[in-house]
């Protein structure tokens, strides 16, 4: 068996294992006794942070647990950081976490959390970013109001990612946001504590010299700190992160994907993405002039794929969007 076939077997096995072990979070151990669905998942070594939604809307929505490694030892989940940080009744207290929707650990062991209210009513709480410092026992160290730059509904927030590490300290400088139908890349500068909106432009067609706006759906970053943007039309673009200026970000067209991509990931030689409409996980080479033939469907499911993510040894997993009860 050659190296390509070995990698394919490992990859597909990982996808199947995660699909069939989705009930292993055992959230009843932290007091959850109702249907829930996982909106987003982030990992830090063996620790897992689940952003969940419940039917009652009164259970805490950010859970810390461990990656299930064996069938004998089951992880014990807990509310993160603890229940007093969460709104657990219908009386609105906007200082508390209303609905965690995303999290990611940075290189300085700070867990960034996006809290975006589940209610569509006018008295709903404004979206906010929170940072919890694990060097200080998970203490909340930052609270950032996002409303000025994101006057949107939760479903319009398509993607959030920490940018690549910058400088000698190896610290991420920006958090990037993709908003539906918006031709800008919204960014929060962690160093300067400022917001930016960068227009996304590209010469999409060979015969047209004018740069046209790009409507992004997903953002990812290569090991060379390149920014990759997948747009609404199934096109993939690239630019160097150092080329971002207030006037905008000029993108170069890399090629075509199989459709409107979600959860774009970049490995050293390949890129991976999901097409929820088809239930497909797709791999394509990281190169110029990508064609439809370069895109390889490596997994198909009848369920809606919410997220794909890497684990150890190059394995790739996906998260299914459905209501479950442990």
């Amino acid at each position: 068996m050659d190296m390509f076939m070995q990698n394919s077997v490992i990859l597909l096995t990982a996808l199947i294992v995660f699909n069939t072990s989705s009930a292993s979070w055992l959230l009843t151990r932290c007091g959850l006794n109702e249907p829930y669905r996982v909106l987003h998942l982030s990992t830090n070594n063996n620790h897992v942070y689940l952003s969940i939604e419940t039917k009652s809307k009164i259970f805490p929505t950010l859970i810390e647990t461990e990656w299930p490694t064996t069938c004998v030892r089951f992880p014990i989940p807990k509310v993160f950081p603890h229940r007093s940080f969460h709104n657990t009744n219908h009386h609105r207290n906007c200082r508390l976490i209303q609905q965690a929707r995303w999290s990611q650990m940075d290189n300085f062991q700070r867990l960034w959390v996006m809290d975006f209210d589940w209610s569509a009513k006018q008295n709903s709480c404004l979206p906010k970013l929170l940072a919890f410092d694990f060097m200080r026992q998970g203490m909340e160290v930052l609270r950032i109001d996002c409303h000025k730059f994101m006057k949107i509904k939760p479903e319009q927030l398509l993607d959030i990612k920490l940018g690549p590490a910058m400088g000698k300290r190896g610290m991420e400088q920006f958090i990037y946001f993709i908003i539906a139908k918006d031709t800008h890349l919204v960014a929060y500068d962690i160093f300067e504590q400022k917001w930016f909106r960068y227009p996304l432009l590209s010469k999409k067609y060979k015969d047209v010299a004018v740069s046209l706006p790009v409507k992004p759906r997903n953002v990812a970053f290569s090991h060379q700190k390149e920014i990759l943007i997948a747009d609404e039309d199934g096109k993939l673009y690239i630019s160097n992160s150092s080329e971002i200026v207030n006037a905008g970000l000029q993108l170069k067209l890399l090629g075509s994907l199989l459709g409107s991509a979600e959860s774009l990931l970049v490995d050293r030689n390949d890129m991976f993405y999901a097409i929820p409409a088809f239930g497909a996980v797709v791999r394509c080479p990281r190169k110029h002039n990508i064609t439809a033939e370069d895109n390889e469907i490596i997994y198909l499911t009848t369920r809606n794929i919410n997220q794909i993510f890497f684990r150890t040894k190059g394995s790739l997993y996906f998260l299914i969007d459905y209501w479950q009860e442990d």
Side-chain angles (χ1 to χ4, degrees):
M1 183 182 292
D2 61 22
M3 182 62 69
F4 176 79
M5 287 299 294
Q6 288 178 356
N7 289 341
S8 297
V9 171
I10 292 172
L11 179 66
L12 291 176
T13 302
L15 286 165
I16 294 169
V17 167
F18 188 74
N19 182 21
T20 56
S21 62
S22 59
S24 61
W25 303 121
L26 298 177
L27 298 192
T28 53
R29 293 191 170 194
C30 63
L32 180 59
N33 296 304
E34 61 172 305
Y36 70 94
R37 65 183 183 130
V38 181
L39 302 177
H40 183 269
L41 177 154
S42 66
T43 61
N44 181 41
N45 298 321
N46 272 340
H47 287 267
V48 181
Y49 301 91
L50 305 172
S51 298
I52 67 168
E53 180 183 11
T54 63
K55 293 282 189 179
S56 69
K57 310 296 186 185
I58 60 173
F59 193 84
T61 60
L62 185 59
I63 307 296
E64 179 183 11
T65 185
E66 293 181 32
W67 188 262
T69 54
T70 67
C71 296
V72 178
R73 180 181 175 273
F74 293 101
I76 300 176
K78 63 179 182 179
V79 174
F80 181 88
H82 44 78
R83 286 178 180 268
S84 63
F85 271 71
H86 294 261
N87 187 26
T88 54
N89 58 58
H90 290 293
H91 300 290
R92 198 59 54 87
N93 181 349
C94 291
R95 292 290 303 171
L96 303 177
I97 296 174
Q98 309 297 315
Q99 175 61 69
R101 295 189 176 272
W102 166 89
S103 66
Q104 189 175 342
M105 188 75 73
D106 69 15
N107 288 343
F108 274 50
Q109 292 299 297
R110 294 179 301 185
L111 184 70
W112 292 87
V113 177
M114 183 70 188
D115 176 32
F116 206 155
D117 195 3
W118 52 265
S119 175
K121 298 179 181 179
Q122 291 184 353
N123 63 345
S124 60
C125 299
L126 302 179
K128 57 183 177 288
L129 267 175
L130 306 171
F132 299 94
D133 192 343
F134 278 62
M135 298 292 188
R136 303 179 186 178
Q137 290 75 49
M139 178 190 300
E140 181 188 326
V141 291
L142 281 173
R143 178 175 290 246
I144 302 155
D145 180 13
C146 304
H147 179 63
K148 183 178 179 180
F149 280 83
M150 287 189 290
K151 296 180 180 179
I152 58 173
K153 296 179 180 179
E155 58 268 22
Q156 293 175 281
L157 185 56
L158 302 181
D159 196 17
I160 313 174
K161 283 194 178 75
L162 276 168
M166 310 291 286
K168 295 180 180 179
R169 298 179 66 188
M171 181 178 176
E172 299 91 339
Q173 182 175 356
F174 291 97
I175 303 176
Y176 294 98
F177 303 83
I178 300 293
I179 297 172
K181 308 299 181 183
D182 194 341
T183 58
H184 295 78
L185 182 63
V186 178
Y188 178 75
D189 189 325
I190 300 171
F191 296 171
E192 298 185 12
Q193 298 186 14
K194 293 181 180 179
W195 288 90
F196 297 91
R197 279 171 53 85
Y198 300 112
L200 297 176
L201 302 167
S202 178
K203 295 179 180 179
K204 297 183 178 183
Y205 310 104
K206 293 181 179 179
D207 300 331
V208 180
V210 178
S211 293
L212 300 174
V214 173
K215 291 183 179 179
R217 283 198 65 86
N218 240 247
V219 61
F221 308 96
S222 71
H223 295 282
Q224 290 78 32
K225 299 181 174 57
E226 298 162 318
I227 297 178
L228 291 106
I229 298 285
D231 77 353
E232 290 186 346
D233 300 321
K235 302 295 184 183
L236 185 66
Y237 302 86
I238 192 170
S239 182
N240 194 292
S241 59
S242 62
E243 297 173 358
I244 295 182
V245 293
N246 289 334
L249 181 61
Q250 190 69 37
L251 301 172
K252 182 177 181 180
L253 180 64
L254 273 186
S256 299
L257 306 177
L258 292 185
S260 183
E262 302 285 350
S263 202
L264 180 66
L265 297 176
V266 182
D267 202 356
R268 293 192 179 277
N269 299 314
D270 295 304
M271 294 176 290
F272 301 87
Y273 61 93
I275 305 180
F278 302 150
V281 179
V282 185
R283 170 171 52 195
C284 70
R286 192 165 67 88
K287 66 172 190 174
H288 294 279
N289 301 318
I290 298 171
T291 65
E293 289 74 19
D294 292 318
N295 292 265
E296 175 193 5
I297 297 175
I298 58 175
Y299 195 81
L300 280 171
T301 177
T302 57
R303 295 178 172 181
N304 186 28
I305 299 173
N306 199 26
Q307 180 187 352
I308 61 174
F309 56 95
F310 290 125
R311 278 294 291 160
T312 56
K313 299 180 181 179
S315 56
L316 184 69
Y317 290 74
F318 69 87
L319 178 67
I320 295 171
D321 182 18
Y322 77 107
W323 290 93
Q324 58 183 302
E325 191 167 5
D326 292 347

